[in-house]
Structures are given as C-alpha cells and as structure tokens.
Amino acid sequence: MTAVRIEVKGIVQGVGFRPFVHRLVEKFGFTGWVRNTSDGAELELCGAGRALLLFIEELKNNPPPLALIESVEYREAEPADYAGFEIIPSEAGERMETLVSPDVGICADCRRELLDPADRRCRYPFINCTNCGPRFTIIKSVPYDRASTSMADFPMCPDCEREFHDIRDRRYHAQPDCCPACGPRCFYLDAAGREIPGEAVELARADLKAGKIVCVKGLGGMHLACLPEPGLVNELRRRKRRDEKPFALMCRDTDCARSLCRVSDAEAAALESFRKPIVLLEKLDAKGLGHLSENAYLGVMLPYTPLHVLLLGEDIDCLVMTSANLSETPIISDNAEAMRELSGIADGFLLHNREIQTKCDDSIIRVYAGRDYPLRRSRGYVPYPVAVPLRRMLLACGAEQKASFCLGKPGHTFPSQHMGDLKNAETLENWEKQIDHFAGLFDIAPEAIACDLHPDYLSTAYAEERAEREGIPLLRVQHHHAHMAACMADNGLTGDCLGLVWDGTGYGADGSTWGGEVLAGGYKGFRRVGSTRPIPLAGGDAAIEGIWRVGAALLRESGLNTARFENEAGYDAVLRMLATGTNCPLSSGMGRLFDGACAILGIKTRAGYEGQGAVLLEAAADTRETGEYPFALCDSDGVLTLDWRGTVRALAEDAAAVDIRAARFMNTLVSAAERQLAGLADATGLRRAVLSGGVFQNMYIMDRLPGRLRSRGLEVFTHSRVSCNDEGISLGQLMILEANI
Ligand code: ZN
Ligand code: ZN
Ligand code: FE
C-alpha cells in the first residue's frame, strides 16, 4: 500500500468534481479524502501504487465534463489508516474562491431520460443534473445553493431530495434539480395573453407548424421563433423592425445543420459542446438562404434546453430563433415584459414560471484555426474566468456600442456577457446592474477603474463618476491600445509586441478618430508606429449609415469624379463639406475604408447596421481571385502610413465584375498590412504581432493575412477567449490598468 497527495488546480468547484472523485475512488477501492482548496481541490489516497497512477491518469484524461483542469500534481504521502473515503471540509482560514458555472446545455443522459416514456421526468422541460442545466442565469447570490437561485420558489419533493443527497446519484448536489411533481411548469398563451389549456409545448409546436411567430422563454431571455420560410422570416423582420441583420437557426441536430452548411469536425464539436453557442457556418450554397443571411455564413445552434429539444421534436428540422428585443434594448427576460413589449409581434407565448435572474444572450463564435473565435461571448461562456495575472481588484468599463465590462482580482478575471449598445437607457441600466451583480458574486471591490479615452462614451461617464465618488484612481485607455492588450492577454503575452488594430472607430490619443493602426508596445504603453491615411467623413456620424459619403470622400481624395453618387440625398451638401473641410472629421478607421469600397462598387450605398459594408464586401468577394491593386506606404511624421489613393483609383476604374474587384480590394489590404508589419518589425525589432479590432471578424482577411505575416518571420496571435470587436476591449483595459497603477 502507498499513499499519495494529489493537488488539482483549475475550475473544479460547483461542477460535480468531488462526487466524481468519490465514484472513481470507489471503483478503484482506495481510502482517503478530498477537499476543496482556494484554487482547486486536494486529495489524499491510499491504495496500490500502480492503481494510484492509473487513477491520476484517469483524472487528467477524463475529468467531469464541466471541470477545467489546469494541472494535476502529486507526491508521495505517509500512508494512514483511513476507514473509507470521505469528502472533508476545506482548511479553516483559507480564502475560498467562489466560481459560478455558466449555463450548460442539456447532457446526453438527461436527453435520454427526457425522451424515455418510463422515466419519471419524461417530457419534463426542466430536467437537469449535476452536469447540465441552468446556472448563471438563475443565480441571485453566492454561496450557490437552491435558496439563492430562481429555484427557491420550488421546494424539492421527497424523490428529488433523495437524489440530491445520494452521492451515487447523477443529481447529487444539482441545485436546480426538479421534476414534474415539484418544479417549474410551462404554459402557452395566445396573442392576447390568455392561457390556452393543454400541453404547452405541443400547442406551441402546432402554432409554429401553422406558420406563426412564437415567443419562447429560454435560459437567458426570450426568443422569437418561426419556421425558416421566406414569407414568415420577412414577416418577422417587418414586425421586429430588423431589416437586414442575419437571423440564426436552431437546428434539430448536427446532421440537420449539415443539410444547409459545411460543418467541419471542429465546428461539429463546437455546436455540440456544452456551451452550445451559435456557430457561424459556411452555407452550402453561398448565395442561398438570403432571407436568413445576406452573407455566405449562417448562424446555427443546437437545442440547448430540454424545452428546445421538445419544441423541435422529431418533425421540425430547424427554427429561426432570434433574441426577443426591440432595436438595441436588452433581451427581454420577464414574462410580463414579454407580453407587453411583444404584443403585435408574437402570435403566441411559450413561457414558464422559473424566473430569469440574469439576462444572457446566445454566444456567437466562429471556429478559426481549430479553436473558438468569439464574436459574442455570452451564454455558456460567462461567467467563467479568464486567467490573467492581477495584483489588485480592478474594474474595466469597456467601450460603448458592443458594451461589456471586466472585473478582476488576484487569481481570476471575469469578463461580462454581451450587453449591447449603452446609448440605449435600458441597456445602460442593465450594464450597471450587472457590474454590481458580478462584484457581489465574486467578492470584488475595485481599487481602480479603467475606461475608454472617448469623452462621450456612457461607460466613461460611469467610470468618472464612480472613481470620483469612491476616491479611487481612474485610467483612461486609448481604444486601440485596449484592443491590442486584449489580444495579448487572450494569448498570455507579456513584454512588447506589434498590434495591428483594424477597427471601425475609436478615439485616438490625438483626439481624432483612429482605426487602421499599428501600435508598438505592451500593457505599460504604446507608440503609434503605423496608420492609414485619414478619410474625411462628411457630416461625421452621418457617414456611418450613409456609407456613400465615405465612397465620395475616397474618390475625391484620389482625384476622381464622384458623380456615381449624385442621386444620393444630400449629395451637393456633402461635396461642399468635402471641398471646404467643414464638418468633416478625419478617420483612419479601416472599417470606413471597407464601407467606402462597398459604396464605390455599388453593392450598397447605405448601411443597415454598423459594419454592413465590410460584411457585404466579404460576401461579394470571389475567393479564388488573387489579383490586387496598387498601394503606397509612406512615412508621415515617423508613422508608416498606408496610402489608399492608388487602390481607390484602380478599384473605381477596374472593368472587372464586382466579385473580382471586391476580392482584389481585400487582397490589396492583406498585402499592404503584410508589407507594413514586415517593415515595422524590422524597424522596431519586434517580431510578435497580435491582430485585433472588429475588421478581423472578416474571414477573407483572417484566412489570408496571418499566413502572409508568418511567411515574413512574424509570430502571429489571434483571439480565442474574448472577441476581437469592442466587446473584448474591457479585458485589454484591465491589463493596461494593472500595468499602470
Ligand atoms: Zn444532465
Ligand atoms: Zn421533484
Ligand atoms: Fe474598436
């Protein structure tokens, strides 16, 4: 007999780790104990030496599904005479980390029981277990137990109680465990809010199959659902006043997704993972399903709650599922609010009486280089921490349009879920409420605050007011520096590197608008070493929607005629502004360059949403085209600046088809970035480059640029834990704050 002491680091609390260990130990017949520690768990086991090694291997290779094990270390211990195996309390005085699990998609075991006529939870829409079910969205406070969740209203029946206390049961300590006898119930209401008698899910299914639009209460909020038929989808767009943004689909299973999209093994794994995000998949027919998405990709997710499994059943292959909210307001999560706000939009309401404590939208990812490439980090990911080294408790307030925040303390940093645009009053209110909620859950009292340099962001106003009130330091962080730092933190980089930040807009250190930048530096500070020739935006913000204004500016700056836009409303005024420079703030934003090119190509002259120009350009491009246009890199006060005038002239005068020209335009930007970064790497001696900013949501660029940079001897880093768009910058702000206080 030998004894070992095993230390497990990572996220092992609240994920069924100790019962898992208990069962495994029983299988091997060891004696000893397990306890939680501040950063994981500790075990002492007595048994045969060879079996102990097998146990450790098993622990490393097959941990419980929700555990994130960072390391397993062991050493020999003094054999003791334990009577059996037990779970013992943590060492007194140890400061325990409370981590909260994200919501977890339905597991295979629960799915089987859900569909098993002999099971007592057959067709019960709230079935869950230790390995799956609602978590983050039902928790009011910590410690995490039933009384501090939405399940407090539902006392357990004796059967559920017995499972809960039986360590051999797969519902041991599953706080939201319930059954038809004791748990929440679903109900179905008509458009007027009258409950219709009958089985709620079946009533909803009948309405969906009859071509109706149904509000469905999910984990973190309501969805509007309908069959993916063009007429219905257009009706949904009309009612929701969502003209052009793509809609995501919920597909019954991966095979069903394969009938519409190409699905790689890695993408299938992402779809089926417990996080159940929306995965952007390439359509089989790039130009097809235009009523769902105007680009070559379709957002697809699989059913992630038992309710969804029942809703799709065996005969509905897929449903359009879009967050139920009205333009830019937070996702609706409350029954009464749904009835009020969605009257006239939904024909029926599939609701239930389990309250949603925290709003949380579906996450959106791509799979890039075999890893997650987050575009919206939300349900299923939040509030898992991101490991970054901090010495203090800090708050970073993010940007404004794709708002987020980040709260951190030594050991763990918690990026928030997707929040939307803070310019909407309800979104701002929810954002502030979530900051307090996170601070309470994770016991963080910030000692300093970071915000964007932009004086008008509402997140900046919040940070200023709070820092003043609490008498704590405030650091204003330049937008693109924060993007760069976010990508560095995402990859665990320290020291200095180059940051290629291609973005829509961000407040520059000189007060102008930046967004096509190369920065050199690290968390401590940066130098702007590369940029893009600024574009005059006639009418300022009016050019974000009226992208033809950018097209006209590009043409005029390049010495070309702007007559192709003469039928646009306000054309003469725009030309006057461009000629005199009045009301023409300058922007070096790469996103604007995409908008302008989109307008010049005549694809679209007005954007229905921010970033649409880039989306349409990407969708139009022929991926086989390798040609490109000229460009120049010139030194402008020590900043290596991309001059796009030659590019614009060639683009405007090229007689080739639009798909070829769109590709040539983007090929040019790839070559320009390659040459710019290679030059700056030589000049600065920095050979690592991080890519961040919203433009890197563009897969045409992402499929080409990193390889080209690597061929020039650069080491290239891209995002995999937070988004490259503005949602990710709170993490970067936090790192910069940590380095500068
Ligand atoms: Zn389960
Ligand atoms: Zn029960
Ligand atoms: Fe940005």
Side-chain angles (χ1 to χ4, degrees):
M1 292 297 270
T2 18
V4 285
R5 181 68 72 90
I6 306 172
E7 260 183 69
V8 183
K9 291 203 168 135
I11 301 178
V12 295
Q13 292 168 29
V15 293
F17 183 76
R18 288 173 305 163
F20 163 85
V21 163
H22 192 279
R23 287 193 289 271
L24 196 58
V25 163
E26 277 195 335
K27 204 174 89 185
F28 279 92
F30 302 145
T31 58
W33 48 260
V34 59
R35 70 177 168 204
N36 281 341
T37 61
S38 63
D39 55 1
E42 196 174 25
L43 295 80
E44 189 160 302
L45 299 176
C46 290
R50 167 108 190 98
L52 286 168
L53 290 178
L54 286 174
F55 174 90
I56 291 166
E57 276 312 298
E58 180 77 13
L59 197 63
K60 279 188 193 163
N61 298 330
N62 292 307
L66 305 186
L68 281 185
I69 292 186
E70 282 159 17
S71 69
V72 178
E73 282 172 18
Y74 64 96
R75 59 190 159 82
E76 220 168 294
E78 204 58 43
D81 199 13
Y82 296 115
F85 184 79
E86 58 179 341
I87 294 176
I88 63 169
S90 314
E91 251 179 300
E94 195 158 16
R95 192 185 158 84
M96 299 302 294
E97 292 292 333
T98 30
L99 292 175
V100 172
S101 166
D103 300 288
V104 179
I106 182 170
C107 74
D109 289 335
C110 285
R111 194 188 175 101
R112 193 172 25 74
E113 288 181 6
L114 178 71
L115 303 173
D116 175 4
D119 194 273
R120 73 187 184 94
R121 293 187 182 83
C122 178
R123 298 193 56 80
Y124 180 56
F126 304 95
I127 187 170
N128 67 82
C129 73
T130 307
N131 292 335
C132 79
R135 299 285 190 274
F136 174 56
T137 54
I138 60 164
I139 293 176
K140 293 179 201 173
S141 59
V142 287
Y144 169 53
D145 55 31
R146 194 179 184 93
S148 56
T149 71
S150 301
M151 292 301 291
D153 306 340
F154 304 97
M156 278 187 194
C157 69
D159 285 341
C160 288
E161 187 94 27
R162 191 184 35 72
E163 293 167 341
F164 185 84
H165 291 292
D166 178 0
I167 196 156
R168 282 167 196 83
D169 194 279
R170 63 183 204 84
R171 295 196 165 85
Y172 175 74
H173 276 198
Q175 302 294 348
D177 182 25
C178 58
C179 74
C182 64
R185 63 176 280 270
C186 265
F187 39 90
Y188 191 65
L189 311 174
D190 66 12
R194 282 179 303 248
E195 182 168 348
I196 304 178
E199 206 198 329
V201 177
E202 285 310 313
L203 293 166
R205 282 166 49 75
D207 269 0
L208 285 167
K209 287 195 272 186
K212 296 198 172 153
I213 294 171
V214 173
C215 165
V216 180
K217 186 170 181 177
L219 273 179
M222 310 281 175
H223 281 117
L224 288 166
C226 71
L227 293 177
E229 288 160 11
L232 285 174
V233 172
N234 290 334
E235 178 62 15
L236 177 58
R237 282 190 195 283
R238 194 187 63 76
R239 292 192 200 173
K240 214 191 157 195
R241 281 174 269 144
R242 182 183 173 106
D243 290 341
E244 293 165 29
K245 280 194 186 173
F247 281 136
L249 284 185
M250 181 175 278
C251 287
R252 196 151 46 86
D253 53 30
T254 307
D255 282 341
C256 181
R258 285 187 209 281
S259 69
L260 305 171
C261 300
R262 253 178 281 280
V263 186
S264 69
D265 290 348
E267 286 163 338
L271 280 171
E272 291 163 9
S273 81
F274 73 84
R275 303 173 185 280
K276 296 282 194 297
I278 294 173
V279 182
L280 292 192
L281 300 171
E282 214 179 311
K283 293 178 196 165
L284 289 180
D285 169 15
K287 304 265 186 281
L289 303 171
H291 59 294
L292 297 173
S293 126
E294 61 189 0
N295 60 58
Y297 299 90
L298 194 61
V300 173
M301 62 183 149
L302 299 185
Y304 54 85
T305 67
L307 182 62
H308 294 144
V309 173
L310 298 173
L311 189 65
L312 286 135
E314 303 223 308
D315 53 351
I316 299 180
D317 281 346
C318 36
L319 287 174
V320 168
M321 285 286 233
T322 181
S323 297
N325 61 338
L326 297 175
S327 53
E328 300 303 331
T329 58
I331 187 169
I332 295 170
S333 57
D334 174 77
N335 290 359
E337 190 190 0
M339 301 304 306
R340 197 172 60 236
E341 300 291 330
L342 300 176
S343 110
I345 295 180
D347 300 314
F349 295 83
L350 179 58
L351 304 179
H352 57 71
N353 59 346
R354 188 181 69 202
E355 226 180 291
I356 296 172
Q357 296 298 332
T358 297
K359 295 175 191 285
C360 200
D361 287 85
D362 296 318
S363 292
I364 307 177
I365 67 154
R366 286 180 188 276
V367 173
Y368 176 75
R371 304 191 297 178
D372 277 10
Y373 192 66
L375 303 178
R376 185 159 97 185
R377 186 182 180 276
S378 210
R379 177 187 50 75
Y381 293 82
V382 178
Y384 262 171
V386 171
V388 292
L390 291 189
R391 290 163 300 152
R392 286 172 230 242
M393 299 204 197
L394 303 173
L395 167 64
C397 295
E400 179 169 86
Q401 225 183 36
K402 288 188 161 73
S404 71
F405 61 82
C406 206
L407 268 165
K409 63 179 178 180
H412 296 293
T413 287
F414 302 92
S416 75
Q417 70 270 41
H418 162 81
M419 292 281 173
D421 189 341
L422 296 185
K423 281 196 286 293
N424 174 276
E426 285 141 322
T427 305
L428 180 65
E429 190 187 324
N430 185 46
W431 178 81
E432 292 188 12
K433 193 173 124 193
Q434 288 301 314
I435 292 177
D436 291 342
H437 184 51
F438 271 59
L441 282 183
F442 305 117
D443 194 18
I444 299 178
E447 298 161 65
I449 304 186
C451 66
D452 198 273
L453 201 56
H454 201 302
D456 301 331
Y457 277 1
L458 290 164
S459 53
T460 303
Y462 170 90
E464 283 169 345
E465 195 270 331
R466 179 165 176 169
E468 165 96 38
R469 178 162 38 90
E470 298 182 4
I472 55 177
L474 172 70
L475 185 72
R476 294 161 209 273
V477 178
Q478 199 280 321
H479 189 90
H480 305 98
H481 186 206
H483 271 303
M484 172 187 181
C487 195
M488 288 177 66
D490 197 324
N491 288 285
L493 302 188
T494 52
D496 283 357
C497 64
L498 293 171
L500 178 66
V501 187
W502 279 1
D503 202 14
T505 46
Y507 199 82
D510 58 6
S512 75
T513 300
W514 292 7
E517 317 305 318
V518 189
L519 310 181
Y523 302 126
K524 194 91 190 143
F526 73 97
R527 278 185 305 130
R528 186 194 200 193
V529 291
S531 189
T532 304
R533 182 186 165 87
I535 305 167
L537 300 182
D541 280 350
I544 307 287
E545 186 266 323
I547 57 175
W548 67 271
R549 292 166 182 250
V550 187
L554 294 181
L555 292 172
R556 195 178 175 282
E557 293 278 302
S558 308
L560 297 179
N561 184 307
T562 56
R564 71 183 72 202
F565 297 121
E566 67 191 357
N567 292 326
E568 298 291 341
Y571 176 75
D572 293 333
V574 164
L575 276 203
R576 268 196 308 278
M577 283 188 253
L578 288 173
T580 59
T582 45
N583 196 13
C584 282
L586 293 176
S587 166
S588 60
M590 188 53 70
R592 300 289 85 80
L593 200 54
F594 275 85
D595 284 346
C598 175
I600 290 171
L601 286 178
I603 299 172
K604 208 156 187 298
T605 56
R606 286 170 194 277
Y609 54 90
E610 215 256 307
Q612 191 185 25
V615 168
L616 294 178
L617 210 60
E618 179 183 356
D622 183 334
T623 53
R624 293 159 306 184
E625 172 60 24
T626 54
E628 54 184 76
Y629 300 132
F631 63 88
L633 286 170
C634 35
D635 184 273
S636 156
D637 294 331
V639 179
L640 189 61
T641 302
L642 165 61
D643 187 334
W644 36 256
R645 288 176 297 180
T647 314
V648 169
R649 278 192 290 273
L651 173 77
E653 286 164 357
D654 190 348
V658 165
D659 53 345
I660 301 292
R661 291 156 78 197
R664 288 177 180 167
F665 173 77
M666 289 192 282
N667 292 341
T668 312
L669 295 181
V670 169
S671 288
E674 178 194 340
R675 209 166 359 114
Q676 192 182 29
L677 258 78
L680 290 168
D682 289 342
T684 60
L686 300 170
R687 306 221 68 90
R688 298 183 302 173
V690 296
L691 307 187
S692 193
V695 169
F696 292 112
Q697 295 174 120
N698 182 315
M699 282 296 120
Y700 189 97
I701 304 278
M702 287 302 284
D703 284 342
R704 289 163 178 77
L705 182 56
R708 295 272 291 276
L709 295 175
R710 288 183 183 114
S711 75
R712 295 286 204 130
L714 284 152
E715 214 183 332
V716 182
F717 300 88
T718 56
H719 282 282
S720 68
R721 298 194 291 179
V722 296
S723 172
C724 65
N725 65 41
D726 279 7
E727 190 183 289
I729 80 165
S730 56
L731 178 63
Q733 291 173 343
L734 197 84
M735 299 305 289
I736 292 167
L737 179 60
E738 166 72 17
N740 286 285
I741 57 163

